[in-house]
Amino acid sequence: MPPLIAFAGALGSLAVVRWAWRTAKRVNRELEEARLARVAEQVRSNDIPTLRRDPTTGAYRPG
């Protein structure tokens, strides 16, 4: 009977390790997607020019 218990324990441990591995991969993938989205949002916001007032004419110009 003890070999059966050891086999069941090993099989259960393998299942837990597999579940933890998949969960870690999923979490890392979600974190990477969120990081890429933040970088893309930052790049998009840098595309919008800031208007500055020209002291000589008083007109607003990008720059």
Side-chain angles (χ1 to χ4, degrees):
M1 195 59 138
L4 182 61
I5 293 172
F7 179 72
L11 200 58
S13 298
L14 183 63
V16 169
V17 167
R18 185 174 180 188
W19 171 81
W21 177 259
R22 286 184 172 181
T23 302
K25 284 177 55 175
R26 180 183 53 83
V27 168
N28 286 334
R29 185 178 59 245
E30 289 174 3
L31 288 173
E32 181 66 18
E33 289 171 359
R35 186 188 67 80
L36 291 175
R38 281 194 314 270
V39 168
E41 179 63 32
Q42 186 179 17
V43 168
R44 277 196 302 269
S45 68
N46 287 340
D47 290 344
I48 301 171
T50 304
L51 297 178
R52 301 203 190 284
R53 190 174 192 154
D54 185 7
T56 57
T57 63
Y60 287 96
R61 298 197 174 146

